[in-house]
Amino acid sequence: MKTPDIAIIGAGPVGMALALALHGGPHTVTLIDARGRGASRKDPRVLALAHGTRLTLERLGVWDHLPTTPIRHIHISQQGGFGRTQLNESDYALDGLGHVVRAGDLAAALDDAITAANIPVIDHSDADVDPELHGRVQLRRADATDTLDCQLVVCAEGGMRADDPAIRVRDYGQHAVICMATPAEAHGNTAYERFTPNGPVALLPCGTDFAVVHTAAPEQAEAWLALDDTAYLAELQQAFGQRVKLIGVSPRERFPLQLRVRHTPVAKRQVWLGNAAQTLHPVAGQGLNLALRDVWALARRLNAATDPGDAQVLSTYLRDRRLDRASTVGFTDTLVRLFSNDLPPLRGLRGLGLLALDLAPPLRHFVAKRMMFGARAWP
């Protein structure tokens, strides 16, 4: 087996995006699919892609193959308190503040592009992957072990053990219940973010329906799963009041929510990306968007380097991404902790904050651009 310059562990959207960003550059690349080729195509989640992420996917040549729904307006409010703000695409001369896509559709488009580019993929069904530091990857088969001594190993999924001292963990004590909901009237490409005492609730326009991300304590989430559709629909409607009228919901799934952050996502000849570097709460939909900003920045550094695993190259990448990474993690973490409670003083402060955003266009525009493009607030 020929050893590549760069081995990417994980052929989910983040790993595949990096492989495509490196394709045609000076280094050979192999993807190692730890879950089996094409597993990501079955991902049931729905993703909110920021405008900056759209630009990255356009550069990778996959955007035109994605069935997306544009977000033209974002309405943000809190349950049981005053204050709300709204963001509109017309303020930024954009075709959508963001776009909604099914995670499986994004994975399929990237996987098709990987095939078209003839980028090698080692399927986990044939090999057991055991990445180590210093650029070494061992592929354990039933009858043999292949060792790849690469210049760089990129871990793009997994590797976030709670007992690892290199990982910071915050358990939010919340689960996300996800499903689809049918509105009584056309959604007008409006996304809703609603903060409730149980946790944030999001409605994202997806086709003619809404994708729902409904967070609450684990026991409440379990109770919602046990309800029939009519009873759960009433719970969801109560969270939004009469702002949006919903008339149907699909079967539901749930996921536990934690913040997991690798303190330093770079080591000797190794980089961690995506969920292997940080796992964020879904509030404001920043997880994948941050990961793809990391991907693009890393690819630019690696394509310009003679040795992609050189310590100076990786150190420069780390410096490039430090501000955006820290501020995005801090932004989502702060939102969850400030808005997932019902303390009267905080409720008033939250209302004032939302009102200030609505009445102060420069502040509102900064927040919008921050969400679209990252910490630097420009593309």
Side-chain angles (χ1 to χ4, degrees):
M1 180 178 298
K2 186 176 180 180
T3 296
D5 299 330
I6 301 171
I8 301 173
I9 313 300
V14 175
M16 289 190 288
L18 179 62
L20 290 170
L22 295 173
H23 181 63
H27 310 296
T28 57
V29 176
T30 294
L31 274 163
I32 301 174
D33 194 349
R35 293 183 297 167
R37 184 71 185 270
S40 296
R41 291 173 178 257
K42 303 173 184 178
D43 192 331
R45 295 172 299 166
V46 172
L47 304 170
L49 306 180
H51 183 70
T53 295
R54 171 182 176 167
L55 298 180
T56 296
L57 294 174
E58 286 177 345
R59 293 171 184 135
L60 297 180
V62 301
W63 180 258
D64 291 341
H65 303 285
L66 283 178
T68 63
T69 304
I71 298 174
R72 306 199 184 281
H73 317 281
I74 301 176
H75 190 284
I76 308 169
S77 62
Q78 65 169 336
Q79 186 182 38
F82 71 95
R84 67 108 178 104
T85 193
Q86 185 162 315
L87 309 176
N88 299 291
E89 68 172 8
S90 58
D91 293 331
Y92 308 98
L94 295 174
D95 177 23
L97 295 165
H99 291 76
V100 179
V101 65
R102 295 178 186 274
D105 289 339
L106 174 60
L110 289 164
D111 194 24
D112 290 344
I114 291 291
T115 299
N118 202 29
I119 296 172
V121 180
I122 298 174
D123 196 323
H124 180 261
S125 62
D126 297 323
D128 187 17
V129 180
D130 181 17
E132 300 178 0
L133 296 181
H134 317 319
R136 175 166 294 177
V137 178
Q138 291 183 329
L139 306 178
R140 297 196 178 99
R141 304 177 186 274
D143 56 350
T145 297
D146 295 321
T147 298
L148 307 179
D149 285 310
C150 308
Q151 292 179 316
L152 178 68
V153 175
V154 179
C155 292
E157 63 183 27
M160 294 279 277
R161 301 192 317 274
D163 59 349
D164 188 337
I167 306 298
R168 174 166 67 96
V169 179
R170 184 191 304 281
D171 190 338
Y172 290 116
Q174 293 179 344
H175 283 200
V177 173
I178 65 170
C179 65
M180 302 298 294
T182 302
E185 299 179 356
H187 52 55
N189 296 97
T190 299
Y192 295 89
E193 186 86 51
R194 178 83 158 161
F195 293 100
T196 79
N198 284 326
V201 190
L203 297 182
L204 304 174
C206 186
T208 58
D209 290 335
F210 282 116
V212 178
V213 183
H214 195 178
T215 62
E219 57 273 16
Q220 179 63 72
E222 182 67 26
W224 285 339
L225 287 183
L227 296 176
D228 62 30
D229 289 352
T230 300
Y232 174 69
L233 182 62
E235 294 279 339
L236 184 59
Q237 189 69 66
Q238 182 184 26
F240 275 91
Q242 296 307 306
R243 182 172 286 105
V244 181
K245 178 65 175 176
L246 303 172
I247 58 174
V249 292
S250 72
R252 301 171 292 283
E253 297 185 52
R254 66 168 175 160
F255 299 91
L257 301 178
Q258 291 184 328
L259 171 68
R260 294 192 178 201
V261 179
R262 188 176 297 276
H263 295 298
T264 306
V266 167
K268 186 176 180 180
R269 297 199 174 275
Q270 188 156 1
V271 176
W272 289 267
L273 288 176
N275 285 337
Q278 64 271 324
T279 302
L280 308 184
H281 193 286
V283 65
Q286 290 300 296
L288 179 64
N289 295 302
L290 173 61
L292 290 186
R293 294 197 296 270
D294 289 342
V295 162
W296 194 251
L298 179 62
R300 289 181 60 189
R301 291 294 177 186
L302 299 184
N303 283 333
T306 302
D307 177 358
D310 180 75
Q312 185 61 45
V313 172
L314 301 186
S315 176
T316 302
Y317 159 73
L318 190 63
R319 186 172 63 248
D320 290 344
R321 299 301 302 146
R322 183 173 288 118
L323 174 61
D324 188 20
R325 185 171 186 257
S327 60
T328 301
V329 170
F331 173 65
T332 58
D333 185 46
T334 299
L335 277 180
V336 176
R337 290 195 285 159
L338 286 181
F339 282 85
S340 294
N341 61 72
D342 200 30
L343 297 175
L346 282 179
R347 191 188 314 146
L349 290 173
R350 292 194 298 259
L352 289 173
L354 291 172
L355 184 62
L357 280 178
D358 205 48
L359 297 177
L363 179 59
R364 185 172 70 252
H365 296 341
F366 175 78
V367 171
K369 290 182 179 180
R370 169 72 178 73
M371 293 176 66
M372 287 188 280
F373 301 116
R376 299 174 71 180
W378 62 76

